[in-house]
Amino acid sequence: MRPFVSSFLAGALALTLAACAPQADPPAEPAPTVAPETAATEAAPTGNFYTIGQGGNYDFNAGFNTGDCWYFLDYHHLGYALIMKIDFATATRQVFCRVPGCTHDSDACPAWLPGNGRDVQLFTVGDTVYAYHGVSTMNYRGSWEEYYAEVVAPRLEEPPENMAGLTKEQILGYYRNRYAEVSAPAGVYVIQGDGATRQNLSTSQDLRNVLVGWCDGTALYGYQLSTPAVGNSTGYRISLTDGSVTTFPMQQQEQILGAQGNRLLTSHTVTEVPLPDYNTEGWDTYQAVLQSATVEYDWLDPATGARSKVLTLPHDGSSFGTTGFYGLRDGKLYFEDLGDQAEGNSQYRAFCSYDVATSQWKELLRPLPDRSMQMGAVTIAGLPHIAAQQGTGLWITGSDNVYGQNLAWMLDTQSGVLFPVQQIMTGNVYHDWAVTCLALTDDGRFLLQTGEDAQGSSYALIDAEAFLQGSTDYTPVTAE
């Protein structure tokens, strides 16, 4: 398989978890959750881990790659999202539903999800498609009557600008769907028969503030940061059979950054003196201890709690000390070296990787040819073989205008060759937005988002090598 890169996938999760809060402000204290029910005895992985696709909070067009299909969410302005499937072999797009006569606009449709889908993560196990819906980041604990009085009634009286043209019934329907999303507990939709049926598994615990992002084929894995700020984190395992939740212990402020094989990649802060609780002892005291701290990256076996150290780096003074970490792929950790920021010059920034097997660092790009360059997706949301076949290709994005991402490159991390992406999306929503690479197929093609307008997104397939040479000989993805 020719090695190339997939862009804008669940590396956003790794980036979100690793980059964390600005250095100047302490992170928000997590809300209380129900105490874990059981300890680590059932946390043994049953297969190789893979990252699951993230919803809109992490990436506006993220999905899940099986190698022959791409699953993603399509948001509708009436307050619901639909699970969609792009079949690479036929270059067709369809709602993931096989219910005869279904209109795809209510919960009678297996592909229908209430709200905007920003807290939904898609993935597959065999022929079954799953949608994990976590507790909404905008969680509402009150009743519908309270939500109606607080949120809905004022907007029915004076509709927002983005709802111009909708009837009051449509606006009410939108907010009913939105309430269903923001008030729902965590759970897993299990969709079988190529979209014929759907079952909802409720989790056995309230998983508020639990970050879930990895699957081993029979369960999901995630973690919750501790409260108070200096306590130990807790790992979670969610069974895909019955929704039962078990836990496994983690270290002080430890976070999961990725996974490979049957182990999780974690990081935690190591200090010379006990880390003070900034809630009681002050942020300045907390930061003073971090001045001499380090960050340890480990492989963690969640079944036994056994750890093996990957590497140790100086703490960068941010909440978790890992702002330079961008993701894990195929045994390599990817970082941005910020260099001497006092110089204020982009030439001090660089992209580099650390090979776990050889313990060797490799400088991938220095100096950066464009100061706007940002490392794109590194960690891939897809089945276990997907990350390996992405190979040496690393997606990089940038911009030379105020409208967003009109520049993109693909860096071959083995040869050092930097391929500029010259193809631009059609439509006017993103102005001169560069064509977005979503996935690499098993047969060596890129799935691209080639356009965006008021009617929605356009997709196409193209040979990966041809695309990197500037070709626009696309095979359009058509609606089935």
Side-chain angles (χ1 to χ4, degrees), residues 58-100:
Y58 303 106
D59 192 345
F60 72 94
N61 55 14
F64 188 82
N65 185 8
T66 66
D68 55 8
C69 294
W70 171 258
Y71 295 91
F72 68 103
L73 291 177
D74 185 25
Y75 175 68
H76 287 245
H77 71 285
L78 292 180
Y80 61 90
L82 294 173
I83 300 173
M84 305 293 293
K85 172 185 176 181
I86 291 178
D87 187 303
F88 297 152
T90 61
T92 56
R93 179 181 77 246
Q94 58 272 326
V95 179
F96 190 61
C97 170
R98 288 294 177 266
V99 176

Side-chain angles (χ1 to χ4, degrees), residues 250-252 254-260 262-270 294-302 305-313 322 325 328 333 335 354 356:
M250 296 177 66
Q251 296 188 350
Q252 177 176 279
E254 188 173 17
Q255 54 179 344
I256 301 173
L257 301 177
Q260 185 165 296
N262 61 359
R263 299 180 297 180
L264 300 168
L265 176 70
T266 72
S267 72
H268 68 278
T269 299
V270 179
T294 58
V295 176
E296 181 176 304
Y297 295 81
D298 295 321
W299 290 123
L300 168 65
D301 180 342
R307 282 176 176 76
S308 57
K309 186 186 298 186
V310 175
L311 80 162
T312 299
L313 295 176
T322 55
F325 176 76
L328 163 70
L333 280 61
F335 295 86
Y354 179 82
V356 177

Side-chain angles (χ1 to χ4, degrees), residues 324 333-337 350-354 361-366 375 394:
L333 280 61
Y334 287 83
F335 295 86
E336 179 179 4
D337 178 5
F351 297 146
C352 52
S353 65
Y354 179 82
W361 284 96
K362 182 176 182 179
E363 197 167 87
L364 304 174
L365 197 62
R366 185 194 295 273
M375 204 179 299
L394 186 67

Side-chain angles (χ1 to χ4, degrees), residues 43-274:
T46 58
N48 286 336
F49 282 114
Y50 51 96
T51 301
I52 65 177
Q54 297 306 304
N57 274 353
Y58 303 106
D59 192 345
F60 72 94
N61 55 14
F64 188 82
N65 185 8
T66 66
D68 55 8
C69 294
W70 171 258
Y71 295 91
F72 68 103
L73 291 177
D74 185 25
Y75 175 68
H76 287 245
H77 71 285
L78 292 180
Y80 61 90
L82 294 173
I83 300 173
M84 305 293 293
K85 172 185 176 181
I86 291 178
D87 187 303
F88 297 152
T90 61
T92 56
R93 179 181 77 246
Q94 58 272 326
V95 179
F96 190 61
C97 170
R98 288 294 177 266
V99 176
C102 184
T103 54
H104 313 310
D105 58 1
S106 73
D107 60 5
C109 174
W112 185 93
L113 301 172
N116 57 29
R118 291 188 182 275
D119 297 283
V120 172
Q121 297 159 268
L122 300 176
F123 61 102
T124 66
V125 177
D127 294 330
T128 302
V129 173
Y130 293 83
Y132 173 76
H133 53 95
V135 177
S136 172
T137 53
M138 301 295 291
N139 182 245
Y140 192 89
R141 297 195 180 193
S143 65
W144 163 251
E145 289 74 20
E146 292 169 319
Y147 185 81
Y148 182 92
E150 180 182 339
V151 177
V152 184
R155 289 163 175 78
L156 286 174
E157 188 67 29
E158 188 174 344
E161 188 175 324
N162 64 348
M163 291 187 170
L166 297 184
T167 67
K168 286 197 171 183
E169 289 74 18
Q170 288 174 322
I171 295 173
L172 180 61
Y174 169 91
Y175 282 109
R176 282 193 179 277
N177 292 336
R178 184 67 176 134
Y179 175 75
E181 178 183 43
V182 300
S183 63
V188 184
Y189 291 123
V190 184
I191 306 167
Q192 296 179 311
D194 200 28
T197 63
R198 182 174 80 184
Q199 174 191 7
N200 187 25
L201 294 179
S202 297
T203 59
S204 63
Q205 285 188 42
D206 177 5
L207 297 181
R208 198 179 314 274
N209 300 309
V210 175
L211 301 174
V212 174
W214 302 272
C215 181
D216 68 357
T218 61
L220 296 178
Y221 289 74
Y223 72 101
Q224 182 187 44
L225 292 171
S226 59
T227 178
V230 296
N232 288 350
S233 300
T234 301
Y236 286 82
R237 180 185 186 275
I238 305 165
S239 169
L240 295 178
T241 301
D242 57 9
S244 60
V245 176
T246 53
T247 64
F248 53 95
M250 296 177 66
Q251 296 188 350
Q252 177 176 279
Q253 287 292 283
E254 188 173 17
Q255 54 179 344
I256 301 173
L257 301 177
Q260 185 165 296
N262 61 359
R263 299 180 297 180
L264 300 168
L265 176 70
T266 72
S267 72
H268 68 278
T269 299
V270 179
T271 58
E272 296 176 354
V273 298

Side-chain angles (χ1 to χ4, degrees), residues 226 228-231 252-254 268-294 315 318-320:
S226 59
V230 296
Q252 177 176 279
Q253 287 292 283
E254 188 173 17
H268 68 278
T269 299
V270 179
T271 58
E272 296 176 354
V273 298
L275 190 63
D277 184 349
Y278 54 72
N279 293 309
T280 57
E281 299 184 52
W283 185 245
D284 289 343
T285 303
Y286 179 79
Q287 283 289 304
V289 173
L290 292 182
Q291 294 301 310
S292 58
T294 58
H315 197 285
S318 64
S319 299
F320 300 99

